[in-house]
Amino acid sequence: MDKLVDLSSKSETNSPIRVTSSGNASRFNGVPDWVYEEEVFSSDYALWWSPDATKIAFLHLDETAVDEYTYPVYNPTEDAHTVVPYPNHVVMKYPKPGYNNPRVTVHVFQLDEYFDVMRDLGDDANSTEIAQGVTAELYWDGMYRLEDSIIAEVAWVSGDAFLVREVTRAAEDGNVVYFDFRNTFRNVGKVVRKLGKDGEQGDDGWIDPIQAIHPLPPSLAPDGQPAYLDIVPTSSGYNHIALFSPANFSTPRFLTFGDWEVTSGILAVDANRSLVYFQAANPSSTQRHIYAVPLPKLDGQKPEEVKALTDTSSPGYYDASFSPEGGFYLLSYEGPHAPWQRIIHVFDDKFDYVLTDNPQLNDTLAQYELPIVTHSTIESDGYELNVLEMRPPRMDDSGRTKYPVLFRVYGGPGSQMVDTRFSLDWHAYLVTELQYIVVVVDGRGTGFRGRTLRNPVKNNLGRWETVDQIYAAKLWAAKDYVDPKRIGIWGWSYGGFMSSKVVEADAGVHSLAMAVAPVTSWRLYDSIYTERYMNLPAENPDGYVTASISNVTGFHHADFLLAHGSGDDNVHFANSAHLLDMLTAEKVRGFRFRMFTDSDHSIYRRGANRELYEFMTEFLLEKWGKGGKRRSW
C-alpha cells in the first residue's frame, strides 16, 4: 500500500494521497505477505478504516530476511501436450519453523489531521511529507521482539480507539493493547488484557487464532466510552461472548456460558433492542444454530438465557447474515437436508421471504438412494469423540455380509469434519455405488468441544490423534458387519499427514491408506501455523521428530497411495519427496504414487482433480473389490 485515495464527501482533493514510500518487493504496507494471508488474516488486506473514516490502521510487513522457497512450473499452459524445454520457477518468501518471520509493525494514518495541515499550509505543501508526518508507528510497554511477535488482530472500537492483539510465535503468551488517539501520547498503547497460561486461556494450550472483536454502537456505550464484545474462553475452557466496557477494561463480563461454544464471532448487534446475535455449536457440537442474547443493563447483572432463533428440536446447521442494524437477516439452512435460504424480519413473524428452497435438487434427490448417515460418540482414553458413519442403503447389518470401512480424516487443531451439513461428494459415491462404509472420527485436538479436547495435541501433533483413529478402527473392526481385513484411512493435507501417521504406527488394523498432499515433516511447513501448536524446533526438538513421519517400517505392511501436486505453494512437494526418500532407503516398493504436474494444494491443474479421485477409486477397487462380501453359514 503506497497510496490511499479518500473518496468521502469532505475530501478536499480528488488526487491520490501517497501515505507510504517504503514499499518494495520485500516490504509491504497494508497487504499481508504469504504467511500472514494464509495463517493469520485469511484475507488479502492488512488495513482497517476507523468507523468514522478519519483514520486508517495498517501493517508494515518486512520480509527481507525471510528465506526463499523455489519450485518449478513445468508447463504454464492448459495444454498437457505442450513441451517446455526450460521450465519457469516460482520464488516465494516462505518462513519455516525456527527461521525468520516477517517483521511486522502497526501504523495509523490520520486522514482528518492530514486535511487540517494541508488546509493550513495551502497549495505549496508537500502532500507526501504531510501524509507521512501524520502517520504514527505504534508502541507499547511489553512489546515482544519483532523476531518473536505475531500481530494477530487489529480492530477499531470507536473513531479514536482501537485494539491490537499480539502473541508470541509459540502462541503461548500474548497481550491485547488499547490505543486512544484522543490522548497526547496517542501512539503509545496500554496492555489491558493478558493472554496465555497466565492470562485468559489459563492453561498449557495455545491462544486460538480468533479475530472476533466487535465494537458496540455508540448508543450502547456507557458514558460515551467505547466498549466491545470479544470471544474469550471461560474458566472451563469454552469460547463464549464477553463484554469489555469500557474498552480499556481488563476483566471479561460473559454474556454466554455453558459447555458449548460460540463459533462465528458476533453476527450483529441490534442497538434498538440491545441484542447480540451469534452462531453456536449448541445443543450439539456437530450442529450450528443462531441465537440472541441481551446486553446486560447494570453492572453485576447476571447473564440472561440465550434465545434460539432456529429450531433446536431437530439436528440442524444454520448460518445467518444480518442487515447493518439487525432488523433483517438472511438465514441459510445448510443441513442435514437439502439447503435453503430465507430472509427473516425480526419485528414481523409473518414476514417470510423464501430466497431459494432448491426444489429441483429435492426432486433429484428423491430419485436416488442416498447414504444412511448416523451420528454417535465413542470414548478414547476418557475423551468423548464425535463420529459420523455413512452406510450403504439397504445394508445387511446381520453380520452375514462383511463390508469394507474407509475412515476419512483431517484432524487438524481446531478443525471439524463431523457435522450435520448437507453433503454429497465422492464419499457418497463410495457408499452407494461401491457399497463401502465411510466413517469420520474427530479426535483429540479438533474443535468446538472446548479446550480440554484441543489442548492434548500441543507440542505433540499426530500423537494422540493417531491413537484415537486406531482405537476407532479397532472398534469398527469388531462389528459384525465389518470386514476386519478391509479397513483403511485416507486424508488430504493434515489428513494426509494423519493417514501416514496411522501407517507409521503399524497397529495391524489398517490394511490400506491414502495420503494426498501430506505434511511429512513439520520442519517443512510454515512457521506461524506450526509453531502455534509445536513451539519452535529449538524448544521442542524431540517433538518435531515424533510429530513427523520418521519410521517407515510400517509402510511394508499396508497398501499405500501417495499423491501430491508439484506446484503446491502451501504444503510443498518437498514433503512427499522426503517421504519417498525414506521409502527408498527402507526398500518399500509396494506403494502407488502420482505427482500431478504444476497442481497446487487443491490439485486441479489440467484435469488433475477428477483424475485424482479416479486414481484413488481404482486403487480401492484393485485392493478391496466392490461391496460387501457375503459369507455362507
Side-chain angles (χ1 to χ4, degrees):
M1 181 191 75
D2 279 335
K3 295 183 179 180
L4 294 176
V5 180
D6 181 85
L7 300 177
S8 64
S9 59
K10 70 176 183 179
S11 175
E12 300 180 17
T13 176
N14 290 323
S15 301
I17 304 170
R18 187 176 185 119
V19 176
T20 65
S21 57
S22 58
N24 58 36
S26 297
R27 301 177 70 184
F28 312 130
N29 295 290
V31 293
D33 72 332
W34 185 92
V35 74
Y36 261 76
E37 179 175 347
E38 177 72 19
E39 305 296 2
V40 180
F41 297 124
S42 298
S43 67
D44 59 359
Y45 65 89
L47 59 86
W48 302 268
W49 282 94
S50 62
D52 59 3
T54 62
K55 301 173 185 66
I56 303 175
F58 64 93
L59 299 188
H60 172 79
L61 297 97
D62 183 353
E63 61 172 15
T64 303
V66 176
D67 291 284
E68 293 179 342
Y69 183 81
T70 303
Y71 61 89
V73 178
Y74 295 103
N75 179 4
T77 77
E78 290 303 315
D79 182 2
H81 298 281
T82 298
V83 177
V84 181
Y86 296 97
N88 295 323
H89 288 80
V90 173
V91 180
M92 61 184 295
K93 297 277 191 174
Y94 187 106
K96 299 196 176 187
Y99 289 85
N100 291 327
N101 267 357
R103 298 162 63 96
V104 182
T105 52
V106 188
H107 304 254
V108 172
F109 168 61
Q110 300 165 88
L111 183 63
D112 49 355
E113 288 199 9
Y114 169 84
F115 283 126
D116 289 342
V117 175
M118 288 294 292
R119 189 183 306 110
D120 292 341
L121 296 181
D123 296 337
D124 295 332
N126 185 314
S127 61
T128 299
E129 290 183 0
I130 300 303
Q132 294 178 357
V134 297
T135 300
E137 182 176 346
L138 306 187
Y139 302 92
W140 55 92
D141 289 337
M143 290 179 69
Y144 300 118
R145 295 180 304 111
L146 290 181
E147 295 81 4
D148 191 39
S149 171
I150 304 294
I151 301 300
E153 185 173 16
V154 176
W156 290 93
V157 292
S158 75
D160 294 299
F162 80 108
L163 300 166
V164 173
R165 190 191 310 266
E166 181 191 33
V167 301
T168 59
R169 288 178 65 147
E172 294 176 338
D173 294 292
N175 298 303
V176 175
V177 188
Y178 177 75
F179 292 86
D180 189 341
F181 272 73
R182 296 170 299 182
N183 293 338
T184 302
F185 300 102
R186 58 189 65 183
N187 68 321
V188 178
K190 176 185 177 183
V191 173
V192 294
R193 291 166 54 191
K194 181 65 180 173
L195 309 177
K197 183 176 182 178
D198 297 325
E200 291 175 356
Q201 284 66 33
D203 55 35
D204 291 322
W206 60 87
I207 300 169
D208 285 325
I210 295 175
Q211 296 166 349
I213 291 174
H214 190 101
L216 287 186
S219 61
L220 297 178
D223 302 322
Q225 297 296 314
Y228 68 95
L229 302 168
D230 198 3
I231 305 300
V232 178
T234 63
S235 59
S236 56
Y238 292 89
N239 288 339
H240 280 283
I241 299 174
L243 170 65
F244 292 87
S245 179
N248 59 0
F249 200 55
S250 300
T251 304
R253 185 177 179 187
F254 285 99
L255 275 62
T256 61
F257 59 94
D259 293 347
W260 50 272
E261 294 202 307
V262 174
T263 52
S264 65
I266 310 302
L267 295 177
V269 175
D270 185 336
N272 295 319
R273 300 198 297 168
S274 295
L275 291 177
V276 178
Y277 297 106
F278 62 96
Q279 182 201 61
N282 184 36
S284 165
S285 58
T286 62
Q287 300 180 39
R288 299 291 185 273
H289 288 277
I290 309 302
Y291 293 87
V293 64
L295 282 164
K297 297 179 181 179
L298 301 172
D299 289 340
Q301 178 182 341
K302 292 183 178 180
E304 297 190 35
E305 291 293 329
V306 301
K307 178 183 177 182
L309 304 184
T310 49
D311 181 10
T312 60
S313 64
S314 60
Y317 202 106
Y318 295 87
D319 199 359
S321 177
F322 282 78
S323 61
E325 295 185 2
F328 294 85
Y329 60 95
L330 172 64
L331 181 64
S332 299
Y333 171 81
E334 299 179 9
H337 304 297
W340 50 257
Q341 289 183 306
R342 286 177 167 82
I343 296 177
I344 308 297
H345 190 336
V346 299
F347 299 110
D348 185 356
D349 293 338
K350 296 180 180 179
F351 182 91
D352 186 15
Y353 184 87
V354 178
L355 194 63
T356 177
D357 56 5
N358 280 313
Q360 292 179 320
L361 174 60
N362 282 292
D363 290 343
T364 301
L365 294 176
Q367 300 176 38
Y368 294 91
E369 290 187 311
L370 302 177
I372 307 302
V373 179
T374 60
H375 288 262
S376 62
T377 60
I378 61 173
E379 188 172 292
S380 177
D381 290 340
Y383 292 89
E384 186 180 72
L385 311 178
N386 289 327
V387 180
L388 180 151
E389 184 184 45
M390 300 171 63
R391 295 184 178 187
R394 295 179 287 111
M395 187 187 92
D396 175 13
D397 60 1
S398 67
R400 188 169 182 176
T401 304
K402 302 292 187 180
Y403 294 88
V405 177
L406 181 65
F407 282 81
R408 178 191 183 190
V409 64
Y410 183 75
S415 66
Q416 184 178 55
M417 290 281 283
V418 180
D419 59 40
T420 55
R421 278 183 287 191
F422 174 84
S423 176
L424 286 177
D425 56 14
W426 180 62
H427 303 91
Y429 166 79
L430 295 180
V431 172
T432 57
E433 182 65 22
L434 301 190
Q435 298 287 292
Y436 288 1
I437 294 171
V438 172
V439 178
V440 186
V441 178
D442 280 341
R444 274 171 274 189
T446 55
F448 310 109
R449 299 201 65 168
R451 294 180 65 83
T452 299
L453 184 67
R454 293 196 288 274
N455 286 348
V457 304
K458 175 67 172 176
N459 294 330
N460 283 298
L461 290 183
R463 178 183 178 184
W464 299 115
E465 306 100 299
T466 301
V467 170
D468 293 337
Q469 294 298 324
I470 291 172
Y471 176 72
K474 289 180 177 179
L475 290 181
W476 256 258
K479 295 182 183 293
D480 291 339
Y481 55 83
V482 170
D483 183 348
K485 295 182 180 180
R486 292 188 293 166
I487 292 180
I489 188 169
W490 98 278
W492 196 313
S493 193
Y494 198 101
F497 161 68
M498 284 302 308
S499 297
S500 303
K501 288 296 287 184
V502 165
V503 178
E504 180 188 47
D506 200 15
V509 63
H510 295 86
S511 64
L512 177 148
M514 300 184 293
V516 179
V519 174
T520 62
S521 171
W522 287 105
R523 297 189 66 179
L524 298 176
Y525 197 53
D526 77 61
S527 57
I528 292 183
Y529 181 94
T530 305
E531 292 168 358
R532 181 188 301 148
Y533 308 115
M534 289 293 296
N535 209 322
L536 278 71
E539 302 298 324
N540 186 23
D542 293 340
Y544 271 81
V545 174
T546 58
S548 301
I549 310 302
S550 54
N551 183 348
V552 296
T553 303
F555 287 78
H556 284 293
H557 309 138
D559 294 318
F560 182 61
L561 178 148
L562 175 65
H564 212 134
S566 68
D568 194 332
D569 66 340
N570 185 355
V571 180
H572 298 152
F573 182 76
N575 284 272
S576 285
H578 171 59
L579 177 56
L580 290 168
D581 256 354
M582 290 191 290
L583 296 176
T584 298
E586 182 62 28
K587 293 182 170 53
V588 177
R589 296 164 182 160
F591 65 93
R592 201 70 52 83
F593 168 67
R594 284 284 295 274
M595 182 190 82
F596 288 92
T597 306
D598 298 329
S599 273
D600 62 14
H601 197 54
S602 61
I603 308 187
Y604 262 92
R605 197 69 187 267
R606 294 187 288 272
N609 195 259
R610 182 183 180 111
E611 174 62 17
L612 168 63
Y613 282 103
E614 291 186 356
F615 176 53
M616 292 193 294
T617 301
E618 290 181 3
F619 182 73
L620 289 169
L621 287 171
E622 175 189 331
K623 301 302 181 183
W624 283 355
K626 181 179 179 180
K629 293 183 178 179
R630 191 173 181 86
R631 69 180 185 183
S632 58
W633 295 96

